[in-house]
Amino acid sequence: MPHFILDERLERDSVSIQTLTLSDLRLAKDSRWPWLILVPQRVNVSEIFDLSPEDQMELAREQARIGAALKAMTGATKINVAAIGNMVRQLHVHVVARFEGDANWPGPIWGFGQAVPYEPQAFEALKAELQKAVL
Amino acid sequence: MPHFILDERLERDSVSIQTLTLSDLRLAKDSRWPWLILVPQRVNVSEIFDLSPEDQMELAREQARIGAALKAMTGATKINVAAIGNMVRQLHVHVVARFEGDANWPGPIWGFGQAVPYEPQAFEALKAELQKAVL
């Protein structure tokens, strides 16, 4: 039976911060916005509707829980949630904290500019804060 | 008790094609891509996690069902699903059929260019086809 292997671009551009029931919860290496990515640990799944009905419900629960925690923690103006996958076909859901006046407000984050790396200490601090917030 | 009123921008830019259990299913007036919008008929809801847990599950089901039907009907390369809402705060979920070589492939549709209106006959034909596909 094939086992879950993370797409190499997701592997390169984000770091795992927690393993949830269904998904690997990852933090993107882009300091322009607090940007989480949920990757359901399932094989050969590209669309949300490729998941089993049970996994679809679990993904919806994880996404809502993570979004609410991210908003409470950051005080974001709006949480943006999206499953796009035109470039990386392995199913992944973006959960992003947006703020008035951020790097592309009110436009979308996808396809906009280049990632701005975190300072290593700032990244570790945010990772720890997020791990606490999503418990 | 306040009742559901559709945001005026959603009203202007899309047309209702069916009323689902939770959501008003709408077709965007933009011929660049087959673009559906689910608007949960609830009051004062901006984030998915503002919905009750039951409504969140129903939205996930409607979104998956509509996405699968849209992909089967259009033969899309990828379905893009997103709840953004930086400009229109009433909760609405985009479900969009994307094709290699479309107007902004593989970039996102949001914030890209201007809507290209349908010919009235083409719009009515697509609306009828969609109504049949999502039954």
Side-chain angles (χ1 to χ4, degrees):
Chain A
M1 199 176 151
H3 64 286
F4 175 78
I5 300 171
L6 184 67
D7 172 271
E8 58 184 26
R9 186 161 164 181
L10 292 173
E11 175 81 49
R12 188 188 67 208
D13 295 343
S14 62
V15 167
S16 180
I17 64 170
Q18 195 146 317
T19 302
L20 308 177
T21 303
L22 174 65
S23 305
D24 180 16
L25 175 63
R26 306 182 65 86
L27 173 59
K29 298 176 185 171
D30 186 344
S31 65
R32 295 176 298 170
W33 18 61
W35 177 356
L36 296 172
I37 302 171
L38 290 163
V39 188
Q41 295 173 99
R42 294 290 184 265
V43 176
N44 292 330
V45 168
S46 178
E47 306 279 7
I48 293 171
F49 49 83
D50 292 338
L51 292 169
S52 71
E54 294 71 22
D55 284 349
Q56 288 177 29
M57 294 302 105
E58 184 57 26
L59 178 60
R61 280 190 291 269
E62 290 181 350
Q63 179 190 294
R65 187 163 73 77
I66 296 305
L70 185 62
K71 190 169 191 174
M73 189 193 111
T74 62
T77 308
K78 188 69 187 63
I79 298 297
N80 291 178
V81 179
I84 303 177
N86 300 340
M87 288 185 275
V88 171
R89 289 299 164 80
Q90 183 172 70
L91 177 60
H92 59 287
V93 180
H94 304 276
V95 181
V96 190
R98 301 298 306 276
F99 301 85
E100 287 176 49
D102 73 20
N104 199 36
W105 181 265
I109 69 159
W110 306 283
F112 176 77
Q114 300 296 320
V116 176
Y118 284 93
E119 295 296 328
Q121 264 192 315
F123 189 80
E124 290 307 315
L126 178 58
K127 197 178 143 184
E129 197 184 359
L130 283 163
Q131 281 166 333
K132 205 171 153 185
V134 302
L135 278 183
Chain B
M1 198 178 152
H3 64 287
F4 175 78
I5 300 171
L6 184 66
D7 172 271
E8 58 186 24
R9 186 160 163 180
L10 292 173
E11 176 80 50
R12 188 188 67 206
D13 295 343
S14 62
V15 167
S16 181
I17 63 170
Q18 196 146 314
T19 302
L20 308 178
T21 304
L22 173 65
S23 306
D24 180 17
L25 175 63
R26 305 181 65 85
L27 173 59
K29 298 176 184 171
D30 187 344
S31 65
R32 296 176 298 169
W33 17 62
W35 177 355
L36 296 172
I37 302 170
L38 289 163
V39 188
Q41 296 172 99
R42 294 290 183 267
V43 175
N44 292 330
V45 168
S46 177
E47 306 280 7
I48 292 172
F49 50 82
D50 293 337
L51 292 169
S52 71
E54 294 72 21
D55 283 350
Q56 288 177 30
M57 295 300 106
E58 184 57 27
L59 179 59
R61 280 190 292 270
E62 290 181 350
Q63 179 190 295
R65 186 163 73 79
I66 296 306
L70 185 62
K71 190 169 192 176
M73 188 192 111
T74 62
T77 308
K78 188 70 187 65
I79 298 297
N80 291 178
V81 179
I84 303 177
N86 300 341
M87 287 185 275
V88 171
R89 289 298 164 82
Q90 183 173 70
L91 177 60
H92 59 288
V93 179
H94 305 277
V95 181
V96 191
R98 302 297 305 276
F99 301 85
E100 287 177 49
D102 74 20
N104 198 36
W105 181 266
I109 70 160
W110 306 282
F112 176 77
Q114 300 296 319
V116 176
Y118 284 93
E119 295 296 326
Q121 264 191 315
F123 189 81
E124 290 307 315
L126 178 59
K127 196 177 143 184
E129 198 184 357
L130 283 163
Q131 283 166 332
K132 207 171 151 187
V134 302
L135 277 183

